[in-house]
Structure formats: structure tokens, C-alpha cells
Amino acid sequence: MTGGLLWGLTGLALLDSVNATTIWIVIVILLGARRPAPTGWAFMLGAVASFLAFALMCYFGLSFADSVLDGVTLWLRRLLFTGLAIALVVMGVRRLRPRERKGYALPPWVNAWSALPFGMLATVGDLPNAFPVVLAVDRLIDADVAAPAAVAVLAGYTAVYALPSALILAAGLAFNEELREQLESMLSGRSSGIAEPSPLAAAACFAGAAASLGVLFLWVG
């Protein structure tokens, strides 16, 4: 386990932590749940458990596949960077057109008891966006990291992934009155109206797609 590998995995975990779905659901819970503290922490527990289970399944599944078939991780990298480039192009095209904002609402059945499975389901539904953790798993396998160390690293990766949402939840519970107006304003701006075209965001998406293709051809091979 080298310092460069740990820094690279930390960067991927930070990228994964900017998870809009989890963050917005936490804000909705803070604003709309009858008991926001137990509901919010139960949701976070479900989200963390589901994400860690996915990371471990990827690691052990791909480790086994790599031991049986040569070149599995290479094809995985090709698939990931190709898929990322396509997704960024699609996002860029969408940013060039007006679009209606989709609202976030807490399902009426979510409470302190059902929030844990709700967190698991929400995380599973958002796994298509979790490509950084798959890259992290690929790097662990490629570096031939021992299984116990890899499991520990993935547990730390999951903690970094959950950190922004957990901090928002803790701050919202501790400073409910002070932050409520700001959170309501953020949620309203995200959930209503029409999003205007953003050439700058579109250009960033296209640049990201080009970078993904560059990595695909120059590094992955």
C-alpha cells in the first residue's frame, strides 16, 4: 500500500462524496420528517451499509473474476471510461437546453423505523453514479493489496463518502432554526421552476468527456 495509491483513493472517495441524491434527501428529512434526528441517522446508516456492501461485493467479485479470467480489470477500465464519456456528453447536451427541475419530496411512509431500508434503497438506486468506487476497487486489485487491508480501505472510503451528508445532517439538527431558512431556499431553488441553459456547465461536461477519452486511449489502452 503506497502513499500515491492512498491519495488516489482519497480523491476518488471525495468525488464520490459529492452525492447529490443523498445530500438532498438529508435536507428533505431535516425539513419534512416528524422526527428528523432518528429518521436522518437511520437513513444515513442504511445508505452507508448499502454502499459498503456494494463496494465489498465489487472487490471480492472482481478479485475472483480476475483470478479466473485474465484482462477482466482492463476491460472494466475501458467500460467505465467509455461509459463516463458518454454520460458526460449526454449531460452536456442537456445543459444546453431549458429543463424542468425535479423536486425532492419525502415519501409519506418514511419515518424513524423505515428510514434505514429507505436509505438502502435510495443508495442502490443511485449506484449507476458510483463509478468512482468501482475505479477504487480496480486500483486495489491492480495494486495486489491484501484482502484485509483492502476491506479496511473500502471501509474508510465509505466513511469519506458519507462525511458531507453526515455533516449536513449534524449541522441541521444542531442549528435547526438558524439554518432552516437557508435549507428551504436551497431546496426550493432545486425543486421548482425551469433551469436555464448553461453553456459553461455544458463546456465542463464536454471537457470531462474529452478527458475520459484521453485517459481511455493514453492510459487504459
Side-chain angles (χ1 to χ4, degrees):
M1 182 73 68
T2 65
L5 176 61
L6 285 175
W7 278 113
L9 295 175
T10 301
L12 288 171
L14 290 172
L15 179 62
D16 235 343
S17 73
V18 188
N19 187 301
T21 299
T22 305
I23 290 172
W24 286 113
I25 292 177
V26 165
I27 292 175
V28 169
I29 288 173
L30 286 169
L31 296 176
R34 293 182 60 183
R35 300 170 62 198
T39 303
W41 290 119
F43 169 80
M44 285 302 307
L45 180 59
V48 167
S50 184
F51 187 88
L52 179 58
F54 172 74
L56 293 177
M57 286 174 59
C58 277
Y59 172 74
F60 287 107
L62 289 174
S63 294
F64 174 75
D66 191 55
S67 67
V68 175
L69 299 172
D70 290 334
V72 168
T73 55
L74 175 60
W75 281 103
L76 175 65
R77 292 185 204 120
R78 290 172 176 169
L79 180 62
L80 283 173
F81 281 103
T82 301
L84 178 59
I86 293 172
L88 286 170
V89 169
V90 172
M91 289 173 59
V93 171
R94 288 179 176 174
R95 294 301 183 276
L96 293 174
R97 298 179 295 184
R99 64 193 188 282
E100 185 177 358
R101 294 188 177 96
K102 297 181 180 179
Y104 289 89
L106 192 66
W109 53 268
V110 175
N111 53 42
W113 298 102
S114 60
L116 190 149
F118 175 60
M120 297 178 72
L121 290 172
T123 302
V124 169
D126 198 48
L127 285 180
N129 296 321
F131 66 89
V133 71
V134 182
L135 287 175
V137 166
D138 173 70
R139 294 202 63 183
L140 286 170
I141 295 172
D142 191 54
D144 201 23
V145 175
V151 170
V153 168
L154 290 175
Y157 185 105
T158 302
V160 175
Y161 158 82
L163 186 60
S165 299
L167 289 176
I168 291 172
L169 178 59
L173 293 172
F175 306 101
N176 184 276
E177 296 301 323
E178 295 86 344
L179 295 178
R180 190 172 187 85
E181 184 176 345
Q182 289 90 332
L183 293 176
E184 288 177 342
S185 176
M186 290 169 57
L187 187 62
S188 176
R190 176 78 181 186
S191 304
S192 61
I194 302 295
E196 296 297 326
S198 176
L200 185 61
C205 290
F206 294 144
S212 297
L213 291 176
V215 171
L216 175 64
F217 290 112
L218 297 178
W219 175 56
V220 177

